[in-house]
Amino acid sequence: MALKSTVFKADINVADMNRDVYGDYSLTLARHPSETTERMMLRLLAFACHASEDLEFGRGLSTEDEPDLWQRDLTGEIELWVDLGTPDPERIRKACGRSRQVVVYCYGQRAVPVWWAKHETRLARFENLRIFVLEPGALADLAQPSMRMQCSIEGRDIWINSGDSAAQLAWEVLKA
């Protein structure tokens, strides 16, 4: 019998001073059985970093032709493609061809430097690609089946509060 996804609900208040975006979002996240809580929370954080009424979660890890998050315009054209981890450069190439903007949030202290050293030259040619490194730290500790969170973004710093718990993260730019 196949394992089922675990469903999480999140009410998140976003204050993104970098983009002058402020709003409240009610989200449903399905955590695939093979997905870690850390990765699921990074998807939530990526949503906050690009918060928009049109931003949607992809169908998940089992779907190769969809990103973790995406935003499409009214014609169905992909405006934003967001992936997490260290995706294959061929996947990134295809995403850059299909979308106006592609953003990759890498994580994993050991894997990212190796991945970047191997693929930096190949990925440099994509002008619509941005790559950031995020280390989630205590972000997974904030995960609850039902979450009420506040997320503030300013510069390269992100503060997330949930009840009595909080996490502060910063990102590093690999490719802007």
Side-chain angles (χ1 to χ4, degrees):
M1 184 164 104
L3 296 174
K4 294 185 178 187
S5 294
T6 304
V7 176
F8 290 79
K9 301 279 187 176
D11 289 323
I12 185 165
N13 173 270
V14 175
D16 185 342
M17 276 69 78
N18 295 343
R19 299 184 305 135
D20 289 327
V21 172
Y22 307 92
D24 295 308
Y25 303 89
S26 292
L27 306 170
T28 301
L29 293 98
R31 189 183 78 202
H32 190 274
S34 66
E35 182 178 38
T36 64
T37 302
E38 176 182 87
R39 187 177 190 288
M40 180 199 68
M41 292 302 287
L42 280 171
R43 284 193 296 129
L44 182 60
L45 182 65
F47 182 94
C49 289
H50 300 277
S52 166
E53 294 297 327
D54 300 324
L55 188 61
E56 301 174 2
F57 290 103
R59 287 186 285 182
L61 295 173
S62 60
T63 308
E64 291 183 22
D65 62 337
E66 285 188 14
D68 290 299
L69 291 153
W70 59 358
Q71 183 174 332
R72 294 176 281 191
D73 66 17
L74 295 175
T75 67
E77 293 292 317
I78 303 169
E79 294 180 344
L80 175 65
W81 178 292
V82 179
D83 265 340
L84 299 177
T86 52
D88 183 75
E90 183 62 20
R91 176 180 172 82
I92 293 173
R93 182 192 66 77
K94 288 178 182 176
C96 287
R98 293 178 61 193
S99 178
R100 289 188 189 107
Q101 181 181 19
V102 176
V103 177
V104 176
Y105 290 102
C106 301
Y107 65 96
Q109 290 179 328
R110 294 182 189 162
V112 173
V114 173
W115 175 83
W116 184 240
K118 184 176 180 182
H119 303 298
E120 178 180 7
T121 305
R122 185 172 179 194
L123 298 175
R125 66 185 173 119
F126 301 113
E127 293 185 16
N128 61 336
L129 173 64
R130 297 183 316 165
I131 303 175
F132 303 101
V133 178
L134 270 173
E135 285 308 325
L139 191 59
D141 296 340
L142 301 178
Q144 299 293 325
S146 181
M147 300 175 270
R148 296 181 77 64
M149 309 177 98
Q150 295 81 37
C151 180
S152 299
I153 303 167
E154 184 174 12
R156 292 185 183 177
D157 294 314
I158 303 168
W159 296 271
I160 299 180
N161 296 308
S162 180
D164 294 336
S165 301
Q168 181 178 358
L169 299 97
W171 67 71
E172 174 189 345
V173 178
L174 291 182
K175 183 179 182 326

